[in-house]
Amino acid sequence: MSIRKLLQTKRLYFDGGTGTLLQARGLQPGELPETWNLSHPDVITELHLSYLEAGANILCANTFGAYRHKFGDEILRLIPAAIANAKAAVARCSDPRDRFVALDLGPCGQLLEPLGSLGFEDAVRLFAESVRIGAEAGADLILVETMNDAYETKAAVLAAKENCDLPVFVTCAYDESGKLMTGADPRAMVALLEGLRVDALGINCSVGPLQMKDTVAELLRYASVPVIVNPNAGLPRTENGKTVFDVTPEMFADHMAELAHMGACVLGGCCGTTPEHIALTVSRTAAIPYAYPEKKHDTLVSSYTHAVSIGDAPIIIGERINPTGKKRFKEALRTGDVGYILGEGLAEEEAGAHILDVNVGLPDIDEEQMLTRVVKELQAVTALPLQIDTVSPAAMAHALRIYNGKPLINSVNGTEESMNAILPLAAKYGGVLIVLTIGEEGIPATAEGRAAIARTVMERAAQYGIPKKDIVVDPLAMTVSADTAAATVTLQAVRLIKQELGLATSLGISNISFGLPMRDTVTAIFYAMALREGLDCAILNPHSAEVMKAYYAYRALCNMDESCADYIAYATSLPAVAQAPTGTPQPAQKTNTEELPPLVRAIIKGLRREAYELAKQALTDTEPMTLIQSAIIPALNTVGNGFESKTVFLPQLLMSAEAAKSAFDAINEAMPSADTTQNTDRRIVLATVKGDIHDIGKNIVKVLLENYGYSVIDLGRDVEPMAVCEAVRAHNVRLVGLSALMTTTVPAMQTTIDLLRTHCPNTRVMVGGAVLTQSYADMIGADRYAKDAMQAVRYAEEVFE
Amino acid sequence: MSFSLHIQRFETDTLFYRQSHVLRYLGYGEGQADSTVLSQLQSAYAELCRYAEPRAVYSRLPLSCPEADTLLIGSLEWHSRDLCRCLSDCREVLVLAATLGAGVDRLIARTSVLSPATAVITDALASDIIECVCDRLCQTFSEDGMRLRPRYSPGYGDLPLSVQGELLSLLSAPTRIGLSVNHASMMTPTKSVSAIVGILPS
């Protein structure tokens, strides 16, 4: 019987630990256990056999770290040998029925981007090869285990799904606090893994069975597939030169029985557990009634840390990452200024958004490439789940693939074309669909018509195995000034879809007030009305005070805000914003800045908000260029000179830079055509070289160069040498800045410079970073060594003079 | 031969930093820091404590030095005259690795977008805090009666940075504490320390 079928009716058991047992048989510290598949096949088979006789149904083949980057071509022999050793044990076992051999996939040992250097697709490829070899060798299932990062787990599961048809089981290593090393909680992992359609999921390693109880309860609460529990035998300690674990087989079995009562379906062990632990667990849980888990109905979207549940309290989806009607945003997309977009996203998060909508579509840019880049970079700085918003199926496919978590998918509609393009993507990668109620004939005029489209999409989605809980319907808020019945139809549709179909709903509410005066008031009241009809999510501008007031007031009125605490906290934060205290008064500085013009003083002192307000005021009677020449530049020079003469230090230099930037922001807002910061003749490419992931120094240089009017093309960190050349050529750039922190990455800097000399002989190169010195810089042929950020600015001034 | 790995988690309220060191990283000389930067240091520290999940993994292993520049630890064979000299008289070592965790790298990335000044301060603080975590760990060994040589990390003297991967792999650091190296032998998460500490015979 297949393992999937078997799990419908009975509890199954995994084997236990191998590491400690192999060490007892002579494995050296640091020696790779996988090599024993070939050097000591009998030992491995004996160990497997002892677990089978203890009652284990599933053997983990000895392939935990069997990947090409560790073993090279050797994996072609190691993995089949590992599967053969396990199968040999099954053949020798007294009762070979219902026994399975799992290809065991542990972590690959490198951290994925953006925290590490390993690219997502590189990780998928690494796992994929081992999956193909293991499936070919006759594995019965794939076990992805001991995962401590959500992104790596996704890469491994995708690799398994794309390279075999075997069942996929996944266990992660949650620690005492119930989280993975990179932050994901059990609910987020259930959302991610069920979206990817794994057959069973759970926890292994890290801690003993007792400490796992809360995490197991959380997994059971949200999972609709069987939950696996493979704990350690507690913690290791050395006793008389031997490693012993503190949870005895008896204690272990008692605790496992408790977890079985709670509903765990697959039980086994990890580090420190022995055949005795498993044997006792099997006998002590045999009589506990077994039940396959019930389907759960929570609508969950997730990031790499947490899940957001749709349907409990109103969810705010920030709408600001969208170029529609925004000149500055469009410009950022065209110039690849992702930093600006990240700033918009973080501002929405601080204003209270729970999820961020991400739309970077412009006719004249490569949307697929840009959407992927923005999603990746946003996920490096915010833990909020994202709503991927694009009309391009290709861009959607790529973004869903690399997204770390289970996103909202914005959108699918009731046309054949849309359903055929989007539903398969949702089925493969997981995600919660936003269904727009648009059919072949457009948007129905009635609420019933819109609900009918929602039903059509729901039924079609079911054919792809997409459950109701993963559908959120957007019955479309249309401009009320164009059709005064528009709002009432939409509100009726919200109620109908909720009550008749039992689906969650979402609306982009800002559109409703288009063309009217006092738009925010209309939008906010419409929002409150929609919430009353049962609206679950709204795509809105979290910087709109009227809308946010409606949100907080609604929650307080509907008994969703204990003691009205959130409402009060929000209300008390408001006057502070409205009256804009212009920075906290600072104690007198050593430099005498009292008699300077206020804006100059604000920049020197690094007062961000004050600099912004003062610049705004000054612009009422001063030309932008005059303001820049008479206040901003002199202030920057004062600080820059101070830094060079060591009376001003790095944090102050940067605070002044931030203040100057907000003064520039005020100028750009007042007159978008002034174009004071984006000087296309004064372009500089910055990059941290290949292999190097420390980018703080490069970021400092960027901030200062921008202050001085240079347009910086920031290629980020760990940048391929050729990518630097390509950027230089594409933008016709005269100066490149390269940064490296460690000796190991200086050769990559050299390679980059050599390439630049060949392909872009007229481009100058400045270098900096902790490890660099003048002699290093000379050795690798740089034009200039910049000891600090101000020296980089001075060199740029020389080059562009 | 038996070999056990010990994992230690540190409560974030036990984290500390040396103000003078952090100010030095930031370029300040003695007495040059003003009250603004000192209060920013305080608030950046509070924020760091919210994101840090300090963990260490270590193991006590026998050491042999068959040649003046060769050392054997478990299955590792390293060549370094400087480290051999530092470990002379030692027959055992502690191999250790510690990290503040991925959350701190995320905090620094996020802060770089919001405020570069705060990012620079946070980065400097985190670098010092992880050193202090290691010092604290070694201090507990000393209190247990071990006589220790100074911490010695890959990249010091003639011990190449490229052994970092082997060291972390020996400790199963990627699975035990979520600490690994990239292809250029840089540790990820970045606020991490790996080291060998010689144990003098008692």
Side-chain angles (χ1 to χ4, degrees):
Chain A
M1 201 191 277
S2 82
I3 194 165
R4 287 189 183 109
K5 268 231 174 84
L6 208 57
L7 258 181
Q8 302 277 345
T9 57
K10 66 180 264 194
R11 185 175 297 116
L12 294 180
Y13 298 90
F14 263 104
D15 58 8
T18 46
T20 325
L21 298 175
L22 289 183
Q23 274 173 27
R25 291 163 172 79
L27 184 77
Q28 291 297 304
E31 192 183 354
L32 299 169
E34 295 83 357
T35 56
W36 278 39
N37 290 318
L38 290 166
S39 62
H40 301 73
D42 299 347
V43 175
I44 303 291
T45 299
E46 283 301 329
L47 188 59
H48 285 318
L49 188 59
S50 62
Y51 276 118
L52 291 174
E53 299 301 352
N57 302 91
I58 310 168
L59 293 177
C60 302
N62 183 25
T63 55
F64 183 81
Y67 300 117
R68 174 166 290 279
H69 71 301
K70 267 194 215 162
F71 293 99
D73 277 342
E74 193 68 1
I75 54 169
L76 300 171
R77 295 171 59 221
L78 281 181
I79 295 174
I83 304 282
N85 292 338
K87 294 213 152 192
V90 173
R92 278 170 54 192
C93 144
S94 53
D95 179 3
R97 285 172 305 164
D98 299 342
R99 314 283 189 165
F100 304 91
V101 173
L103 174 74
D104 186 319
L105 299 178
C108 71
Q110 279 193 40
L111 206 47
L112 270 67
E113 291 174 340
L115 293 165
S117 297
L118 186 64
F120 181 74
E121 296 299 344
D122 293 327
V124 173
R125 268 192 291 279
L126 197 66
F127 290 118
E129 186 178 12
S130 297
V131 167
R132 284 193 297 269
I133 300 168
E136 175 87 354
D140 301 307
L141 68 147
I142 309 292
L143 173 69
V144 176
E145 64 142 314
T146 321
M147 286 286 160
N148 51 31
D149 176 51
Y151 211 23
E152 185 177 4
T153 313
K154 177 171 177 174
V157 172
L158 267 185
K161 288 275 173 188
E162 289 177 344
N163 291 281
C164 71
D165 295 321
L166 299 174
V168 179
F169 288 18
V170 181
T171 57
C172 297
Y174 301 90
D175 65 12
E176 296 92 322
S177 66
K179 288 183 179 158
L180 305 189
M181 297 278 183
T182 55
D185 65 24
R187 192 166 75 145
M189 289 310 292
V190 171
L192 171 72
L193 293 172
E194 290 196 350
L196 292 168
R197 311 271 178 102
V198 304
D199 297 280
L201 59 83
I203 175 171
N204 78 300
C205 209
S206 295
V207 291
L210 195 59
Q211 294 95 315
M212 278 187 180
K213 211 173 144 185
D214 291 347
T215 305
V216 172
E218 192 76 353
L219 290 169
L220 289 166
R221 158 77 185 79
Y222 292 102
S224 300
V225 297
V227 169
I228 307 162
V229 185
N230 291 338
N232 286 351
L235 293 170
R237 63 171 190 278
T238 314
E239 220 167 66
N240 304 324
K242 281 193 168 175
T243 304
V244 294
F245 282 76
D246 59 5
V247 178
T248 63
E250 287 74 18
M251 289 154 68
F252 188 84
D254 282 346
H255 297 152
M256 292 302 275
E258 205 176 324
L259 298 173
H261 273 294
M262 287 165 59
C265 293
V266 188
L267 308 177
C270 197
C271 307
T273 57
T274 61
E276 208 186 342
H277 287 82
I278 301 301
L280 268 179
T281 299
V282 172
S283 63
R284 208 153 295 181
T285 54
I288 298 171
Y290 180 78
Y292 193 83
E294 286 171 21
K295 289 261 172 285
K296 310 299 189 297
H297 302 290
D298 309 83
T299 299
L300 297 177
V301 293
S302 69
S303 69
Y304 48 83
T305 56
H306 68 285
V308 169
S309 171
I310 293 173
D312 306 334
I315 296 298
I316 295 174
I317 304 172
E319 69 176 16
R320 301 290 297 167
I321 302 181
N322 190 319
T324 310
K326 300 190 198 95
K327 189 168 180 292
R328 177 73 184 86
F329 200 104
K330 287 178 184 163
E331 187 190 296
L333 287 177
R334 292 199 179 101
T335 57
D337 180 6
V338 175
Y340 173 80
I341 298 169
L342 302 183
E344 288 288 293
L346 292 185
E348 288 190 288
E349 177 173 2
E350 300 212 325
H354 305 114
I355 295 171
L356 301 179
D357 184 81
V358 183
N359 182 321
V360 294
L362 270 192
D364 51 345
I365 66 160
D366 178 351
E367 189 187 350
E368 186 177 339
Q369 181 264 334
M370 181 55 81
L371 183 62
T372 303
R373 180 169 168 210
V374 170
V375 166
K376 275 188 182 174
E377 295 203 22
L378 271 170
Q379 290 208 290
V381 299
T382 175
L384 294 187
L386 303 180
Q387 168 165 295
I388 317 284
D389 182 358
T390 173
V391 293
S392 153
M396 182 64 85
H398 202 186
L400 293 181
R401 187 172 174 86
I402 57 90
Y403 180 76
N404 189 356
K406 180 186 180 191
L408 274 161
I409 300 173
N410 191 12
S411 58
V412 63
N413 62 46
T415 63
E416 283 299 318
E417 188 189 355
S418 174
M419 289 190 287
N420 290 336
I422 302 301
L423 296 181
L425 295 177
K428 176 172 183 187
Y429 295 113
V432 171
L433 287 161
I434 298 282
V435 177
L436 302 185
T437 56
I438 303 172
E440 303 292 351
E441 268 86 57
I443 302 168
T446 63
E448 290 74 16
R450 294 184 198 179
I453 289 176
R455 182 189 292 277
T456 305
V457 180
M458 177 179 86
E459 286 167 0
R460 181 71 73 84
Q463 292 171 15
Y464 287 89
I466 299 168
K468 252 174 95 166
K469 67 177 179 183
D470 284 344
I471 293 175
V472 174
V473 182
D474 181 342
L476 301 164
M478 315 284 279
T479 307
V480 75
S481 61
D483 171 8
T484 48
T488 51
V489 170
T490 301
L491 293 171
Q492 279 167 17
V494 167
R495 189 189 324 146
L496 203 61
I497 288 160
K498 189 105 183 164
Q499 287 178 353
E500 303 278 310
L501 303 177
L503 296 175
T505 52
S506 178
L507 283 172
I509 58 168
S510 301
N511 203 27
I512 200 84
S513 60
F514 189 78
L516 290 175
M518 300 204 310
R519 280 192 65 177
D520 279 0
T521 305
V522 177
T523 306
I525 291 179
F526 174 70
Y527 180 37
M529 293 164 80
L531 287 172
R532 193 63 194 143
E533 298 295 343
L535 184 72
D536 298 293
C537 312
I539 308 176
L540 54 79
N541 177 4
H543 303 306
S544 162
E546 293 299 315
V547 170
M548 294 307 283
K549 282 177 197 167
Y551 166 77
Y552 284 105
Y554 180 85
R555 288 174 73 252
L557 291 167
C558 289
N559 193 22
M560 295 174 174
D561 181 4
E562 185 141 0
S563 319
C564 303
D566 294 344
Y567 178 82
I568 293 168
Y570 175 71
T572 47
S573 76
L574 273 185
V577 174
Q579 291 161 19
T582 49
T584 35
Q586 299 289 318
Q589 304 266 315
K590 282 172 218 152
T591 40
N592 187 4
T593 54
E594 302 308 320
E595 66 270 30
L596 291 170
L599 179 56
V600 177
R601 186 175 156 274
I603 292 173
I604 291 175
K605 292 204 160 192
L607 305 175
R608 204 138 75 150
R609 182 171 291 160
E610 194 166 47
Y612 175 83
E613 297 293 339
L614 288 168
K616 214 167 153 183
Q617 270 171 33
L619 283 166
T620 53
D621 56 7
T622 316
E623 286 296 311
M625 278 324 283
T626 317
L627 191 63
I628 294 169
Q629 297 298 342
S630 70
I632 302 180
I633 297 291
L636 285 173
N637 282 339
T638 306
V639 181
N641 293 337
F643 180 73
E644 286 167 325
S645 62
K646 297 192 176 8
T647 56
V648 166
F649 301 92
L650 188 57
Q652 289 164 282
L653 180 72
L654 289 170
M655 279 190 281
S656 294
E658 290 172 33
K661 186 168 178 293
S662 60
F664 280 122
D665 286 346
I667 292 172
N668 286 330
E669 278 168 28
M671 36 206 65
S673 58
D675 211 8
T676 50
T677 49
Q678 298 294 319
N679 192 326
T680 50
D681 297 331
R682 289 155 55 98
R683 285 194 180 120
I684 299 174
V685 162
L686 290 185
T688 300
V689 298
K690 184 69 191 160
D692 207 318
I693 48 166
H694 299 79
D695 58 357
I696 198 124
K698 181 217 67 189
N699 292 341
I700 295 168
V701 173
K702 177 187 176 185
V703 172
L704 284 193
L705 286 172
E706 284 179 341
N707 262 200
Y708 279 82
Y710 297 98
S711 168
V712 173
I713 299 164
D714 180 2
L715 301 180
R717 48 183 207 170
D718 198 9
V719 180
E720 292 287 348
M722 204 54 216
V724 177
C725 282
E726 280 161 12
V728 166
R729 280 194 292 201
H731 300 280
N732 193 21
V733 172
R734 287 162 56 194
L735 176 59
V736 171
L738 299 175
S739 147
L741 185 91
M742 301 257 213
T743 45
T744 45
T745 54
V746 173
M749 187 175 257
Q750 167 105 60
T751 312
T752 310
I753 295 176
D754 291 347
L755 262 187
L756 281 167
R757 296 303 182 215
T758 314
H759 296 284
C760 319
N762 298 322
T763 299
R764 309 275 193 92
V765 184
M766 58 179 174
V767 296
V771 70
L772 284 171
T773 57
Q774 184 65 54
S775 59
Y776 245 144
D778 295 340
M779 193 179 82
I780 60 177
D783 293 302
R784 182 63 59 92
Y785 163 60
K787 187 168 70 61
D788 57 42
M790 277 314 294
Q791 290 199 356
V793 170
R794 298 297 180 223
Y795 184 58
E797 285 173 337
E798 259 178 56
V799 171
F800 288 94
E801 199 168 70
Chain B
M1 205 228 67
S2 179
F3 160 63
S4 55
L5 295 174
H6 301 270
I7 298 160
Q8 186 156 348
R9 285 161 53 98
F10 301 84
E11 293 304 320
T12 46
D13 57 14
T14 65
L15 293 180
F16 63 96
Y17 63 95
R18 298 159 298 184
Q19 184 167 295
S20 58
H21 285 243
V22 179
L23 289 172
R24 186 143 38 80
Y25 296 148
L26 292 170
Y28 290 89
E30 194 71 31
Q32 285 178 311
D34 58 26
S35 58
T36 313
V37 72
L38 293 179
S39 78
Q40 282 177 324
L41 218 59
Q42 277 298 325
S43 50
Y45 168 72
E47 192 70 357
L48 252 175
C49 288
R50 289 181 51 215
Y51 285 82
E53 287 186 52
R55 293 182 174 93
V57 57
Y58 59 90
S59 188
R60 183 175 178 162
L61 289 166
L63 163 82
S64 61
C65 293
E67 320 260 347
D69 71 338
T70 303
L71 16 56
L72 304 174
I73 303 169
S75 63
L76 302 182
E77 179 179 336
W78 288 354
H79 299 281
S80 163
R81 200 167 287 271
D82 296 337
L83 179 54
C84 283
R85 203 173 298 131
C86 175
L87 297 178
S88 61
D89 303 334
C90 299
R91 272 168 299 183
E92 278 186 296
V93 290
L94 285 163
V95 183
L96 68 90
T99 179
L100 292 185
V104 168
D105 280 6
R106 288 202 184 110
L107 173 68
I108 294 170
R110 178 187 176 82
T111 314
S112 293
V113 176
L114 292 169
S115 162
T118 314
V120 162
I121 291 171
T122 308
D123 187 85
L125 263 174
S127 299
D128 195 57
I129 289 174
I130 188 62
E131 292 291 336
C132 292
V133 164
C134 292
D135 289 347
R136 162 80 60 86
L137 188 62
C138 289
Q139 196 189 329
T140 59
F141 299 136
S142 303
E143 285 162 7
D144 288 347
M146 283 188 215
R147 293 199 303 136
L148 300 180
R149 301 284 296 145
R151 276 197 276 131
Y152 198 102
S153 293
Y156 289 7
D158 63 354
L159 181 66
L161 197 61
S162 54
V163 303
Q164 192 112 261
E166 293 173 13
L167 191 161
L168 295 187
S169 166
L170 174 76
L171 294 173
S172 297
T175 47
R176 298 299 164 196
I177 61 170
L179 173 58
S180 55
V181 290
N182 75 357
H183 54 86
S185 297
M186 287 200 181
M187 287 191 281
T188 53
T190 59
K191 298 306 173 188
S192 305
V193 167
S194 69
I196 302 287
V197 187
I199 305 173
L200 290 164
S202 41

